[in-house]
Amino acid sequence: MRQGRVDIGQRSETVHRANLSAIVRGLHERGPLSRSDLVALTGLTRSAIRALVCELVDAGMVIEEPALRLGTPGRPSPIARANPRRALVLGIEIMVDSIAAAIVGLGGVTLAESRLERPRGSLSPDRVVADITELTESLLRRVPAPPIGIGVAVAGVVRRSDGLVWAAPNLGWVEVALGDRLARALALEVPISIANDADMGLLAEHRRGAAIGVNDVLYISGEVGVGGGAIIGGHALTGVAGYGGEIGHMPVNPGGKSCRCGSSGCWETEVGEGALLTLAGLPPDSGREGVEAVLRDAAAGDPRSAAALDHVGRWLGIGLAGLVNVLNPQLVILGAMHGRIHAAVRPVMEGELDRRALRAPRDSVHVVPATLGVGAPARGAAELAFEPLLADPAAFFGSAAFSTQLASA
Amino acid sequence: MRQGRVDIGQRSETVHRANLSAIVRGLHERGPLSRSDLVALTGLTRSAIRALVCELVDAGMVIEEPALRLGTPGRPSPIARANPRRALVLGIEIMVDSIAAAIVGLGGVTLAESRLERPRGSLSPDRVVADITELTESLLRRVPAPPIGIGVAVAGVVRRSDGLVWAAPNLGWVEVALGDRLARALALEVPISIANDADMGLLAEHRRGAAIGVNDVLYISGEVGVGGGAIIGGHALTGVAGYGGEIGHMPVNPGGKSCRCGSSGCWETEVGEGALLTLAGLPPDSGREGVEAVLRDAAAGDPRSAAALDHVGRWLGIGLAGLVNVLNPQLVILGAMHGRIHAAVRPVMEGELDRRALRAPRDSVHVVPATLGVGAPARGAAELAFEPLLADPAAFFGSAAFSTQLASA
DNA sequence: TAAGTTTGCAAGAGAGGAACACAAACGTTG
DNA sequence: CAACGTTTGTGTTCCTCTCTTGCAAACTTA
């Protein structure tokens, strides 16, 4: 045999696990569903759904509620909903000027959250790990059980397999073994998944925001750097090591300004926050307030601010055209800074996009601002932490987070 | 329920179909495997493999041969191989200067093939459909059964769902309903799948060429235009309508030369065949011979040819850096013209790539020329045509292509 | 009260797993 | 050089798991 094992064979047990997964995932992603909804969703028979739902109810993952009377004929179908208290995860985001954590229950309910604003440049790995430990401990005191998983979104290039942050230029990090360090500091015996902040922002928008049900999405998230993520054909575009999506360092103007990454003419040098602020005559580190000022001044008629927005909008369109031609998404979501300036730059951006994107891909794409705003990466990280449970709920039947509550209920 | 059916439930029948698929796909993609290889591949038990293989043998899809004596201890295991005569497909490629067709049997054996060279510009849809009909009829006379599927690779932007060629600038086509036209002309009652030539070249390299077993691959195929395809995380990157991979029209030099597509500074204007030939002082339409001449002259010391290759190599590196940062592939395959110039441009291309690709993605990527050469798109198209059979062999048990041969055997 | 929809239960069918006996080839050993 | 044990693999039977089928009962609306 030329290669190792690739496609594992299926067995009856696989079927059962896949069906449990389909139900739990359906309830988590779509909210409460009646049994007959589940029949329609899965294509299984009523008997099978009944058995599966009962199994999940016994395991505490699903709560069945009496049927609602909806005015439709026929016997009412009991409503199944995910039990948000049965499985909790911790979602964390490490951004350039703040750190946030949230406890999210199965079904997507945020049970507790907290954020620490931090001045830029003060985010050494030691400090961040200490801050996260503190945040987490205070949050966990407010909920009655430990999480089943931890997800971390960090503004840097991350290797998914072991949580190594290869580089996070805006945090000043190089090769930080964040996964190991957090595991030691938090001392929670649960898996920690670390991923790029843009990938997690996209996951949040895909599950809970502007991209629900859209299987070909591109997400741009510009703050200090410009990051991005994509879901194409329903699959996250993470690349071989999870390093993908560094769209900020796509060369769009190779003779242009030199970039922190050592190259020149990277997209980020034209559409990043620093570019906008500098062009508008503000200090490049004036952050979110600076961007708001530019928008305000441009609206008030200041030509320099308007020209800065025009420049960014034009290059936004140029870069998007390339990405649209390569990836052919159905939807482009602009997050963070680019979401805020979307309305102001839309005409010039779309003009450039129309001119440069091939007609066929252009016809099918819409560009919209993100809907989730601040905290999206943490929500996405929480979704990432739920993934093992959603993929195989049966593996979590034993580890009842709330065994006492379940027993007394 | 907020949306329609997405994730179909699994049933025992699904398991059986999936396992049959795993075996047929394994034999098709990897070649003959012993029963014990299949046990290792799938993780199923000997009993299950035995039953599944016997079922496939009865259906004629698999031939079992006596064990080979390999000098290894233990009882020899019978070898199962795909029966190349049980299921045939027709793979067709429509390129800018030739049309080719091949009959491929299960397992990937080419049973017959033929190519028509055509001067550029003489490829109207009518003419192409007529040529294909003629090619196909003559090929089919040489094999004893009709194909179970037809795959077509065409150098243009294609909508997969219905085989509409939205645009094929190098053929001069606009909105050609190639799927419908071929279905009428060929009058074979089998599915016709139409796809982009670069996507099919990549599929061929992934199944039979330089990318076997590599799940994150980027493929560049430059002839008149520059096309590309990618497989990321094992999934083909086709985008929402199958329009993805138009990497030739990624803006890399927005103030640069104007492009046929209406934009300016597209990658294709810097690294396309026309750019190389023009820079070398040859007519832009001197085609493959022109490229060979440039390579020859540069090797002989002609400075103008060397400078042309340098230019193309440099911009190849620039564009690849962007794609590598965005997609994080493990392997980049240069096909067609770029495969031929690979050796000549490698140092300058890799220098630019080193300078511009982020370190993490760059560390994991290798750039190599394609191994399949001319005819790769047709082979990929044949693989595409096999896909329904590989995904569910049981669905083809009834339609025995060779029922008479099977009966007499 | 009739029609329509859904639940609940028991029997049935499909598929792979586990265990045992047996077979074939290799290498060692007397 | 032949007999032996070891290793690897086949063939068969019985078992278990899981979903489907079919029927009766429950519930709501019109």
Side-chain angles (χ1 to χ4, degrees), chain B residues 375-398:
Chain B
R379 293 196 69 175
E383 294 294 335
L384 184 68
F386 269 123
E387 204 47 42
L389 172 72
L390 301 180
D392 186 7
F396 290 79
F397 278 4

Side-chain angles (χ1 to χ4, degrees), chain A residues 10-11 35-36 46-47 50 74-75 77-78:
Chain A
Q10 305 231 325
R11 42 194 82 179
R35 280 202 200 169
S36 47
R46 291 184 277 281
S47 312
R50 191 181 92 90
R75 179 172 174 168
S77 190

Side-chain angles (χ1 to χ4, degrees), chain A residues 187-208:
Chain A
L188 294 164
E189 297 294 322
V190 295
I192 301 184
S193 306
I194 307 204
N196 176 267
D197 62 325
D199 287 334
M200 293 302 95
L202 170 59
L203 180 55
E205 292 286 344
H206 190 236
R207 286 272 169 84
R208 315 283 173 198

Side-chain angles (χ1 to χ4, degrees), chain A residues 328-372:
Chain A
N328 184 211
Q330 186 180 347
L331 184 68
V332 176
I333 299 181
L334 301 181
M337 181 195 94
H338 295 112
R340 287 191 291 278
I341 67 171
H342 172 260
V345 304
R346 184 172 176 176
V348 57
M349 175 192 77
E350 296 202 337
E352 207 64 47
L353 192 54
D354 285 334
R355 195 163 84 78
R356 295 183 181 273
L358 295 184
R359 201 185 123 206
R362 177 68 184 102
D363 276 359
S364 50
V365 72
H366 290 271
V367 184
V368 301
T371 58
L372 294 180

